[in-house]
Amino acid sequence: MKKKIIFGNWKLNKTNEEIKSFCNVFNNLLKKDKNTSKTNVVYGIAPTFLGINTFFLANKTAAIVLAQNASTKNFGPYTGEISFELLKNNHVNTVIIGHSEVKKNLFETNKIINKKILTLLENNMTVVFCIGETLKDFEKNQTIATLKKQINECLKNINKNDIKNLIISYEPIWAINTGKTATKEIIKKTIDNIKKILFCIFKKDSQKISILYGGSVNEKNAKEILNINNVDGVLVGNASLDPENFYKIITLA
């Protein structure tokens, strides 16, 4: 049985002092809860790059540290980039790749995302690969076609032996930071189709890939989402900024 995965993405939020404050509350909540440490849950936080070391030092729980992005380059004249080696050196082995905000704001293409995923997997790092459709795609009934294109192009030439380190997060773009959440029927149907697409590529090995849901997940709707039988976890945005809310979501898994 797969472990449930609860990851928080802080995006461009929290100073070092705010991170320490979050960890202080979060540490105490987990310390008092004797059941949480026994549950079948993997949880973690993706701070800003500058907050990674602060979170690592202040965190006294089992929470892992994720990066919000990574470069395809490892060293050299690439100003502003962060390599997988630098991340590993700072206790980070899991990276979010292909988030819709990165694609929009930093103009990432599927070709670039594919190269990043290949680089990370080849270096034994875990990838949280985000996919999702726009509101226009959704309204035109193009969700599956859009996701199929993203998956086929971004997972091109992936070695089957590496997919044990691949996690997919389905995040409908129209549900990110909008307060809108896809219904459980939409989530289940879409993830069933994602599994079919993955099976066409990786056959039975595709079962090793955990699939998360992201898109305005919070402490009020997380239980319903996590109870959908094909959902392996959630990628939480704004709700993960509050230690009590994030803790509550973990306990619901």
Side-chain angles (χ1 to χ4, degrees):
M1 183 178 179
K2 290 180 181 177
K3 290 186 177 183
K4 287 289 187 181
I5 299 170
I6 314 292
F7 287 153
N9 178 16
W10 282 356
K11 309 184 182 186
L12 192 57
N13 291 294
K14 291 197 182 293
T15 63
N16 284 336
E17 289 306 312
E18 289 170 336
I19 293 172
K20 292 175 185 177
S21 176
F22 174 97
C23 288
N24 183 51
V25 175
F26 191 63
N27 293 342
N28 287 331
L29 288 169
L30 268 293
K31 186 177 180 180
K32 292 176 182 178
D33 189 341
K34 303 299 181 182
N35 295 319
T36 306
S37 60
K38 300 176 183 177
T39 56
N40 202 30
V41 182
V42 174
Y43 54 94
I45 290 289
T48 63
F49 284 123
L50 288 175
I52 285 175
N53 196 47
T54 302
F55 185 88
F56 176 78
L57 293 173
N59 172 48
K60 306 301 179 185
T61 72
I64 65 172
V65 189
L66 296 83
Q68 297 179 15
N69 203 356
S71 173
T72 59
K73 310 296 182 183
N74 193 28
F75 58 88
Y78 303 102
T79 301
E81 298 278 18
I82 301 289
S83 71
F84 72 85
E85 190 168 312
L86 289 175
L87 291 172
K88 277 190 169 184
N89 195 50
N90 282 275
H91 318 288
V92 177
N93 288 290
T94 305
V95 185
I96 299 172
I97 294 294
H99 194 282
S100 60
E101 292 165 357
V102 177
K103 291 171 71 173
K104 177 183 177 182
N105 298 327
L106 300 181
F107 309 104
E108 274 196 352
T109 63
N110 287 346
K111 186 175 182 180
I112 292 173
I113 292 169
N114 174 241
K115 194 170 183 180
K116 289 186 174 186
I117 293 175
L118 284 169
T119 299
L120 292 167
L121 291 180
E122 286 169 359
N123 286 282
N124 200 33
M125 295 185 74
T126 298
V127 173
V128 181
F129 167 43
C130 299
I131 59 174
E133 79 280 17
T134 64
L135 181 60
K136 184 178 180 180
D137 292 330
F138 177 71
E139 291 178 339
K140 289 189 173 184
N141 201 30
Q142 292 295 310
T143 294
I144 305 308
T146 298
L147 299 182
K148 186 175 182 179
K149 178 178 173 63
Q150 290 174 6
I151 291 170
N152 283 332
E153 293 183 3
C154 296
L155 298 185
K156 186 177 180 181
N157 298 322
I158 298 297
N159 189 314
K160 287 184 179 181
N161 294 328
D162 292 331
I163 62 174
K164 65 181 183 297
N165 290 327
L166 178 64
I167 297 168
I168 290 180
S169 182
Y170 167 54
E171 297 191 297
I173 298 171
W174 49 271
I176 298 176
N177 292 333
T178 62
K180 297 180 181 178
T181 307
T183 64
K184 62 180 182 180
E185 290 78 18
I186 291 174
I187 295 171
K188 186 180 186 311
K189 180 180 178 181
T190 305
I191 291 181
D192 278 341
N193 279 291
I194 290 171
K195 286 177 180 271
K196 289 177 184 177
I197 297 168
L198 292 171
F199 183 81
C200 288
I201 302 172
F202 300 113
K203 306 306 178 188
K204 289 184 178 180
D205 288 315
S206 64
Q207 296 173 9
K208 299 174 184 176
I209 303 173
S210 293
I211 302 180
L212 317 182
Y213 174 77
S216 296
V217 177
N218 56 53
E219 69 283 2
K220 296 178 181 178
N221 60 28
K223 185 174 183 178
E224 181 178 51
I225 295 169
L226 289 165
N227 281 339
I228 300 172
N229 61 18
N230 60 2
V231 172
D232 297 311
V234 289
L235 182 58
V236 187
N238 289 338
S240 69
L241 293 169
D242 183 289
E244 294 184 348
N245 289 341
F246 189 60
Y247 163 76
K248 184 175 181 180
I249 293 171
I250 292 171
T251 64
L252 295 173

